[in-house]
Amino acid sequence: MKASDNQALKLGEVDFGILNELTGYWLRWAQLNTYKNIRCFFFDEFDITPGLFGVLEVVGCNPGLTQTAVAKAIGNDRSAMVAIVDKLEKRGLIERKPSETDRRSNALFLTSAGRVFRDRVAGRAWDHNEEFFSMLTAEEHQQFVGLLKRVALAGSPTE
Amino acid sequence: MKASDNQALKLGEVDFGILNELTGYWLRWAQLNTYKNIRCFFFDEFDITPGLFGVLEVVGCNPGLTQTAVAKAIGNDRSAMVAIVDKLEKRGLIERKPSETDRRSNALFLTSAGRVFRDRVAGRAWDHNEEFFSMLTAEEHQQFVGLLKRVALAGSPTE
DNA sequence: CGCTAATTGTTTAAGTGTGCAACTATTGGA
DNA sequence: TCCAATAGTTGCACACTTAAACAATTAGCG
């Protein structure tokens, strides 16, 4: 999978009209461009998806969390967690342990292999983040994240 | 469809570890939050998707464009255009005319109803854009769009 | 205590979006 | 003329998202 599978935008030839003035459209393009790059990075170097790594990280930072709790945290339906945990478990990175206080739920933990893997990916992910956003200065990058956080959390219950 | 179908993020209870430091994750959240709102707006007021409106706008600004040209412009596979143009044609907003210079291709045009509809939606879309991003000051909003454009176009052929 | 309502993990199905390979009709170039 | 490329279309595979249903289990309340 090549990171530069960008199918020639050819901007400048086509008039996008009001789309150029809508923040949402630019946000979508920025996200698409970034996500494509990040997905290739995760896939090429670690054969994993950003979504799977997200679960790995959340479980790693919050050992014993139930599947439903993780689902809520990352904004998924709990039914989607089944396949996700299955995949991570099949790769020996995560573990389902029956909860001791509630026999309905599984408590999730990283295996020792999972912790090693997480550390490796996390280190490279941070480097790759700095590298990819090098089209911005450090100051701009910091500004950008600040604005993104406010947009991301606008209208949320914690606001 | 309610715009506030936000399934309780409950941030603060769960540690997201390094995800908090990755720009891509915040970009994804910001895009998700924004897109959900915009999709509801388009759906509630005009029974249309942002994607369909995008095609409508591009065709409106570039009459006679072929399906493949539109697909390239908006970053889609040309096979996906078939269903899109079908939908817009079925609603009487767009028209396929056989190209006079190339019998393989369809030239796309807005119908008069399509032009009226486009104008109505475009006006409200701009208002909604300003309204939704009111969590930022005008200056911040402008900054934000500038940064988004640079991130969106990074690595593209036109850069 | 006992009963009802709610929750957990899971499966299944439907809808959506994307990417890829094929097919036809047609065009363009050597 | 003949071969390669292109436009629109169709179909398929894959991933993601939602919703509904179900059994097992728990929690709340009289």
Side-chain angles (χ1 to χ4, degrees):
Chain A
M1 194 185 287
K2 291 173 298 180
S4 52
D5 279 343
N6 267 320
Q7 60 267 26
L9 299 193
K10 285 189 190 160
L11 286 154
E13 306 178 11
V14 175
D15 182 6
F16 285 81
I18 198 188
L19 303 186
N20 275 317
E21 319 299 325
L22 296 180
T23 315
Y25 272 89
W26 286 110
L27 184 49
R28 182 158 186 274
W29 275 108
Q31 207 275 329
L32 245 50
N33 194 24
T34 303
Y35 187 70
K36 187 165 294 189
N37 182 285
I38 290 178
R39 200 182 48 201
C40 290
F41 161 74
F42 274 98
F43 181 83
D44 288 342
E45 300 204 16
F46 304 103
D47 192 29
I48 201 174
T49 66
L52 288 184
F53 173 68
V55 170
L56 210 60
E57 178 71 8
V58 168
V59 171
C61 293
N62 308 271
L65 228 52
T66 67
Q67 294 185 194
T68 298
V70 175
K72 272 184 195 159
I74 66 177
N76 263 354
D77 193 273
R78 69 187 197 276
S79 64
M81 286 298 300
V82 180
I84 293 175
V85 178
D86 280 353
K87 283 180 195 166
L88 292 173
E89 205 175 32
K90 205 161 292 178
R91 285 180 60 168
L93 301 174
I94 221 177
E95 216 177 354
R96 280 176 167 107
K97 288 188 184 174
S99 164
E100 296 176 357
T101 64
D102 187 340
R103 275 184 294 177
R104 288 171 304 180
S105 57
N106 298 325
L108 299 178
F109 298 91
L110 295 196
T111 63
S112 55
R115 275 187 293 274
V116 171
F117 184 76
R118 187 219 80 95
D119 291 345
R120 255 200 329 135
V121 179
R124 281 289 295 128
W126 199 87
D127 289 345
H128 177 263
N129 187 68
E130 294 304 298
E131 192 179 323
F132 177 77
F133 288 100
S134 63
M135 83 289 280
L136 309 179
T137 68
E139 191 185 6
E140 286 170 334
H141 191 170
Q142 192 179 352
Q143 245 175 15
F144 187 49
V145 174
L147 294 168
L148 284 174
K149 287 183 182 179
R150 285 166 60 193
V151 174
L153 299 177
S156 85
T158 59
E159 192 191 24
Chain B
M1 193 184 289
K2 291 173 296 179
S4 52
D5 278 342
N6 267 321
Q7 60 269 26
L9 299 192
K10 284 186 189 163
L11 286 154
E13 306 178 11
V14 175
D15 182 5
F16 286 81
I18 198 188
L19 303 186
N20 274 318
E21 318 299 325
L22 296 180
T23 315
Y25 272 89
W26 285 110
L27 184 48
R28 182 158 185 274
W29 274 109
Q31 206 274 329
L32 246 48
N33 193 25
T34 302
Y35 188 70
K36 188 166 293 190
N37 183 285
I38 290 179
R39 201 182 47 202
C40 289
F41 160 75
F42 274 98
F43 181 83
D44 288 341
E45 300 205 15
F46 303 104
D47 191 30
I48 201 174
T49 66
L52 288 184
F53 173 68
V55 170
L56 211 60
E57 177 72 7
V58 168
V59 172
C61 293
N62 308 269
L65 226 52
T66 67
Q67 293 184 194
T68 298
V70 175
K72 273 185 196 160
I74 65 177
N76 263 354
D77 194 88
R78 68 187 199 275
S79 65
M81 286 298 299
V82 179
I84 294 175
V85 177
D86 280 352
K87 282 180 195 164
L88 292 173
E89 205 175 32
K90 206 161 290 177
R91 284 181 60 168
L93 301 174
I94 221 176
E95 215 177 354
R96 281 177 167 108
K97 288 187 184 174
S99 165
E100 297 177 354
T101 64
D102 187 340
R103 275 184 295 177
R104 288 171 303 181
S105 56
N106 298 325
L108 300 178
F109 298 91
L110 295 197
T111 63
S112 55
R115 276 187 293 273
V116 171
F117 184 75
R118 187 217 80 95
D119 290 344
R120 255 199 329 134
V121 179
R124 282 288 296 128
W126 200 87
D127 289 345
H128 177 264
N129 188 67
E130 295 304 298
E131 192 180 321
F132 176 77
F133 287 100
S134 63
M135 84 288 283
L136 309 179
T137 68
E139 190 185 8
E140 286 169 334
H141 191 171
Q142 191 178 352
Q143 242 175 18
F144 187 50
V145 174
L147 293 168
L148 283 175
K149 286 183 181 179
R150 286 166 61 194
V151 173
L153 300 177
S156 85
T158 60
E159 193 193 22

